Amino acid sequence: MASTPELILEQFRDGLIKRNPGEPEFHQSVLEFAEFVIPYINANPKYLEPKILERMTEPDRTIIFRVVWEDDKREVHVNRGYRVQFNNSIGPYKGGLRFHHSVNLSILKFLGFEQTFKNSLTTLPMGSGKGGADFNTKGKSDREVMRFCKSFMIELSKHIGPNIDIPAGDIGVGAREISFMFGQYKRLKNEFTGALTGKSMEFGGSLIRKEATGYGCAYFMEHMMNHNGDSIKDKVCIVSGSGNVAQYAVEKIIQLGGRVVTMSDSSGFVHDPDGFNEEKLAYIIDLKSVRRGRIKEYADKYKCKYFEDKKPWGIKCDLAFPCATENEIDEAAARKMVKNGLQALAEGANMPTTREAISVFLEARIPFAPGKAANAGGVAISGLEMSQNSIRLSWSRDELEKRLKDIMANIHKQCVAYGAEKEGNYINYVKGANIGGFVKVADAMLAYGVI
Ligand code: NDP
Ligand code: 2IT
């Protein structure tokens, strides 16, 4: 048999785009991965002939379904629901559900793909998936959201289960939505099993889950800073978003001594040069998660500046934490941040930085933590919620926080192992996270043979 020719990025890219037309976010996430993993595969040909990369970039299956529900005025609405079951080589499918008007197959395939390597990096036995719907919870009453969630679960319940696929939250899906969906799942299946994570404490949830993504992201930044003999203490930090991830990233950054001066939502951002403190953060949590209001109200209350329709990247800072959504930081923003003296960046969101912007940070040799490493704390505690559900016990806050810290430290270690440059102290965390996440999944796929 002739030896398999080496993979060439440009040829792989052309094939990927041809096989997945009209899916720009999926192309972006796969190409960011392939750029660093293809050289590794070429140097380790055992992955080449079995076409591991080609197999890994094709989801196991994609489920698309109709979701019909009635609003408070009895008007009928039709939405589209999805579950992309990406890869279950190292454990059952695991990943969040997103409810947002922008949801489409490209976005869910990129999120499911990223989840594969993120879950692998946690070292817990979790495969990858992502799902959701083009449904916007904004402006809907609680009853409308309930009706939607119940209708969505009637279909989704056919495809999930505690040993098959375990969804959780993401944008637009928090405790309220998970509760509605879990209640419906339990009813449809007539069983009480941990088929969703991010549940409330009364029915099988885990302590620290709500804080885990944000806390983990701040811990990861602390590791990157420690690696260079520094820390978050006294650093000026900019954060985007004001949802679940942003709220708890801000809480932990404050606890670690950093000064957070911005938060945002999809309408604009607030700049509070004095920095957020516990009281101001409590206001934000109530505003965004209970009253479901707009971030502008913070500027009115605390008499600081509000920038309508703007992103915070022009504000001078030491550290940046994008925690809202994908493609928030483009090349121009990255150049501005580097010019303003940025020291490091950790992605709380999934793929908030474009490929061009990532290149700007890497060329400037700024420590840059991709989401699959820096935001893995959330799914890691989801994995521990599954463990607690299986053994029908719940662990203490201290126990879980210690495990979260250990997992983030271990992810940092894996990034250093695969991403350290031959000379100097610089770590390419993008390369490290991609290769580190790849190896375990690839080895499992090799072991299963050609499937
Ligand atoms: P939330 O719904 O709680 O919050 C999302 C935040 O981002 C809100 O402030 C929202 O503003 C803002 N936002 C959403 N879409 C846009 C947009 N198109 N442009 C500008 N701002 C936007 O979601 P999470 O905090 O859970 O998720 C944030 C990010 O973190 C996502 O990328 C998600 O995939 C990722 N992530 C989440 C994890 C989790 O455990 N929840 C785990 C790992 C990653 P507004 O209020 O105006 O909608
Ligand atoms: O992107 C993510 O890692 C999440 N939205 C969390 C997934 C999970 O299963 O907890």
Side-chain angles (χ1 to χ4, degrees), residues 65-67 69 78-82 98-105 108 131-137 140 148 152:
F65 50 93
R66 185 175 67 222
V67 185
W69 59 282
V78 183
N79 285 94
R80 190 169 296 164
Y82 303 82
R98 177 178 290 192
F99 291 168
H100 194 260
H101 57 83
S102 63
V103 162
N104 60 34
L105 193 55
L108 296 179
D134 59 348
F135 169 77
N136 209 342
T137 55
K140 307 283 191 305
F148 177 83
F152 180 81

Side-chain angles (χ1 to χ4, degrees), residues 108-133:
L108 296 179
K109 280 171 71 176
F110 115 66
L111 289 164
F113 181 73
E114 295 272 303
Q115 200 81 45
T116 310
F117 311 102
K118 182 193 307 192
N119 293 3
S120 164
L121 285 167
T122 67
T123 71
L124 300 173
M126 297 183 290
S128 57
K130 201 85 187 190

Side-chain angles (χ1 to χ4, degrees), residues 191-257:
E191 63 176 32
F192 194 109
T193 48
L196 293 169
T197 62
K199 300 185 292 299
S200 297
M201 290 310 296
E202 300 79 20
F203 45 89
S206 174
L207 290 167
I208 296 278
R209 174 63 189 88
K210 122 169 134 348
E211 296 89 343
T213 312
Y215 278 18
C217 184
Y219 290 145
F220 199 91
M221 175 64 91
E222 188 73 348
H223 282 299
M224 292 203 295
M225 297 301 282
N226 290 169
H227 186 81
N228 291 320
D230 206 341
S231 73
I232 289 180
K233 193 161 174 0
D234 297 329
K235 299 292 184 294
V236 175
C237 302
I238 53 177
V239 172
S240 69
S242 50
N244 173 261
V245 177
Q247 291 165 8
Y248 293 98
V250 170
E251 182 165 284
K252 190 51 78 180
I253 295 165
I254 297 172
Q255 287 170 10
L256 292 170

Side-chain angles (χ1 to χ4, degrees), residues 20-34:
N20 304 278
E23 296 182 356
E25 293 84 3
F26 181 56
H27 304 158
Q28 183 184 338
S29 67
V30 173
L31 292 173
E32 178 220 291
F33 175 83

Side-chain angles (χ1 to χ4, degrees), residues 54-66:
E54 290 84 341
R55 284 200 254 160
M56 260 184 191
T57 49
E58 192 65 40
D60 286 358
R61 71 187 62 77
T62 300
I63 300 146
I64 303 183
F65 50 93
R66 185 175 67 222

